[in-house]
Amino acid sequence: MADETLKETAKAPLKRPADTRVLVIGAGTMGSGIAEVFGRAGCETTIVEPDPARRQAALARLEQIGARCKAAPAPEEADLPAIDLAVECAPERLALKQALFGQLARRLRPDALLCSNSSSFPISDIAQGLPGPERMLGLHFFMPAPRIPLVEVVLGAGSSPALGEALCDFMRDCGMVPVLVRKDLPGFLANRLQHALAREAFALVDAGIVSPEDVDAAVRFGFGMRFLAAGPMLQRDHNGLDVHHAAAASIYPSLANDTQPGPMLSALAAAGKFGLKSGAGIYDWQGGKAAAERRRYDQALEAALAQLARDLPPRQAGQD
């Protein structure tokens, strides 16, 4: 009987956002942003956060956009039987996440989806020993979640591909751009692409070939502009695959293939120079520079989002 229940669960479709109740666990920067994504889409959204100040701030953020929202200090104090989709944004400790999902699996309905926003741990590890692993999926957002439309739906070893597809459809209805990652690789899709670029960038700087400023200029005012119009695969069709094939044969042998972070990145990390949040990184962020950069960055994201608006999926009727 249990096997039959799991088979039916794996086929269960998600409802439209206005009829869906979402539980977001954790109200830090990422958790509150994810809650805003669901609240903005019309979902009834419950935030679970033990810290009263964070909980109230997240609730106020949802109320400000007119979302249907609730808050609770712990999962057991939320209306768990009513929840259709649970998204975990708890601290990055594997044992904590496993225990949390064990509790949710026992208390939520069998057709409710269990999702983790973690990018540190494989979804398969988080689901280890979980009853009904078919409904355990990765749902990985990017900061700031309300401004970055991309969301990765990640299949673990035991995840149901059908539920992965259903979750992609649901996130599309929420106005997001979902991608389905069919294997639980470290970094999933977008972070793997970003790290491949960053590895080559750091290697070029470490070798004294270019400066960090040169790297940023080459991306922002060169091919990065084109990526706003077309991703790397579509861009190859624009450029011509014959040209790309010939260039790849020439360039690939000289690309960095280091298996460890390079000297510059390692030295900065060891010195506690983490970037804007510490006041120094690759660049200096003292004397109000960090705040100014955050404003400039947010404005650039808003402009990029406006440019991409016509390519984004429409939200359902009645949503802001």
Side-chain angles (χ1 to χ4, degrees), residues 105-155:
R106 293 191 301 272
R107 293 173 177 259
L108 294 179
R109 299 191 320 270
D111 63 334
L113 289 191
L114 305 173
C115 297
S116 176
N117 181 60
S118 176
S119 60
S120 301
F121 301 111
I123 303 306
S124 304
D125 288 356
I126 298 173
Q128 191 71 36
L130 195 70
E134 290 85 354
R135 60 174 171 156
M136 179 74 205
L137 300 150
L139 190 62
H140 183 232
F141 293 78
F142 296 83
M143 280 203 297
R147 288 193 179 97
I148 305 297
L150 181 69
V151 62
E152 295 174 318
V153 175
V154 184
L155 301 182

Side-chain angles (χ1 to χ4, degrees), residues 22-47 58 61-62 65 67 85-90 115-119 138-148 150-152 170-171 174 176:
V22 177
L23 183 75
V24 178
I25 299 175
T29 301
M30 183 57 85
S32 59
I34 290 172
E36 183 177 337
V37 169
F38 288 117
R40 189 180 61 192
C43 303
E44 183 178 303
T45 306
T46 300
I47 291 265
R61 184 173 178 174
L62 288 174
I65 62 171
L85 169 64
V87 182
E88 169 269 319
C89 304
C115 297
S116 176
N117 181 60
S118 176
S119 60
L139 190 62
H140 183 232
F141 293 78
F142 296 83
M143 280 203 297
R147 288 193 179 97
I148 305 297
L150 181 69
V151 62
E152 295 174 318
F170 176 76
M171 295 311 301
C174 289
M176 300 293 284

Side-chain angles (χ1 to χ4, degrees), residues 16 28 33 52 78 94 100 104 115 124 130 139 146 161 167-168 173-174 194 214 236 267 296 319:
R16 66 193 185 100
L94 182 58
L100 176 60
L104 292 175
C115 297
S124 304
L130 195 70
L139 190 62
L167 185 55
C168 283
D173 287 342
C174 289
Q194 289 185 115
D214 292 333
R236 296 308 92 191
R296 185 205 65 79
Q319 296 173 0

